[in-house]
Amino acid sequence: MPHRRPAVLRRAAALAAATTALTIGLALPALAHVTVNPNSAEQGGFTKVAFRVPNERDDAATTKVEVHLPTDHPLPFVSVRPVGGWKVEVHESKLDKPVTTEHGEITEAVTKITWSGGKIEAGQFQEFEVSMGFMPKDTDRLMFPAIQTYSSGEVVEWDDAPNADGSEPERPAPVLKLVPAAAEGEAAASPSAAASPSVAAASDVSASARSSETGGSDSTARILAAIGIAAGVIGTVIGLFGLRRSRT
């Protein structure tokens, strides 16, 4: 039955292509969100985070990034790290309603940070570092809605709150989880707690590097997993075709 082989091959190729497209389509969107790294910090203290912004367009560059800070839990101290090629503007506003904290009443706070003038090309990402404190103790998370502007004029708003059922919304806002601070006894027992400032700084840089490497490994692992699944499907189809030929 030689005349039937081309049809079987065409069906196998179509199935493999569809599976590959579906698998990669499911894997890639998770890599394109604007995120905050690390994604957790201790309540009551200071933290340094990086807003990681990937470019998810093939035909345009990201030219502007805005990050909005919470006004219901304002942060008294905010500072930014310069990024080469980018201009940064820190916007401080008067709060509609003063917020009383253990550190006093806050009437004004940084409500938005804008980076502009640079470019994040296709297939690239950029991290924008911010130091913040004191982290509030009366909430377990802070949301930082972000707005990403492309050279084509397209504006993407990453401002959706997490869904109640735990599923991911269409355009999730960067979320920083807040956890209770370690007890004083635990901190004293930790060798890093007594480290000198220079050692602490070196550890911080090392942790930042590991975080960046983990993000890259994560992305690579997801893509390789997608390719592996697609290859498995192709192998199964070819095996079935070979079995059918042997029977014929």
Side-chain angles (χ1 to χ4, degrees):
M1 302 171 64
H3 61 283
R4 297 182 60 183
R5 292 179 185 174
V8 174
L9 287 175
R10 284 196 298 271
R11 285 196 295 272
L15 176 60
T19 303
T20 302
L22 175 62
T23 306
I24 295 178
L26 292 174
L28 291 183
L31 310 179
H33 302 159
V34 175
T35 57
V36 57
N37 301 278
N39 63 357
S40 65
E42 287 190 350
Q43 296 172 330
F46 272 78
T47 189
K48 183 188 74 173
V49 300
F51 291 97
R52 184 175 298 169
V53 183
N55 186 355
E56 57 174 7
R57 297 289 180 265
D58 294 329
D59 56 353
T62 296
T63 56
K64 183 179 178 182
V65 176
E66 298 175 39
V67 173
H68 292 259
L69 279 64
T71 55
D72 54 344
H73 293 93
L75 300 169
F77 303 99
V78 176
S79 58
V80 297
R81 186 175 218 174
V83 180
W86 292 79
K87 175 185 176 183
V88 59
E89 295 180 65
V90 179
H91 306 264
E92 188 170 341
S93 305
K94 187 172 183 178
L95 302 177
D96 294 335
K97 183 179 178 181
V99 176
T100 302
T101 71
E102 62 178 315
H103 305 289
E105 185 178 74
I106 302 176
T107 59
E108 294 185 356
V110 173
T111 55
K112 183 174 70 171
I113 305 175
T114 303
W115 291 270
S116 60
K119 283 187 177 182
I120 307 174
E121 300 289 354
Q124 299 179 355
F125 73 90
Q126 178 65 58
E127 289 189 336
F128 303 94
E129 293 184 328
V130 181
S131 175
M132 303 179 291
F134 296 96
M135 295 291 109
K137 296 182 179 180
D138 57 347
T139 183
D140 61 357
R141 71 182 186 188
L142 292 177
M143 282 182 52
F144 298 89
I147 300 176
Q148 184 174 10
T149 302
Y150 288 91
S151 56
S152 62
E154 180 186 8
V155 176
V156 180
E157 298 183 4
W158 302 96
D159 57 0
D160 291 342
N163 292 328
D165 60 1
S167 62
E168 190 172 71
E170 182 180 359
R171 299 193 184 280
V175 175
L176 181 66
K177 298 176 183 177
L178 300 181
V179 298
E184 290 185 8
E186 294 177 6
S190 172
S192 61
S196 66
S198 59
V199 173
S203 300
D204 192 36
V205 171
S206 176
S208 176
R210 286 197 300 273
S211 174
S212 177
E213 291 173 2
T214 301
S217 300
D218 239 6
S219 303
T220 304
R222 292 183 183 181
I223 295 175
L224 289 176
I227 295 174
I229 292 173
V233 172
I234 295 173
T236 301
V237 172
I238 293 175
L240 290 174
F241 173 63
L243 179 60
R244 188 168 182 176
R245 284 186 59 191
S246 65
R247 288 179 177 175
T248 302

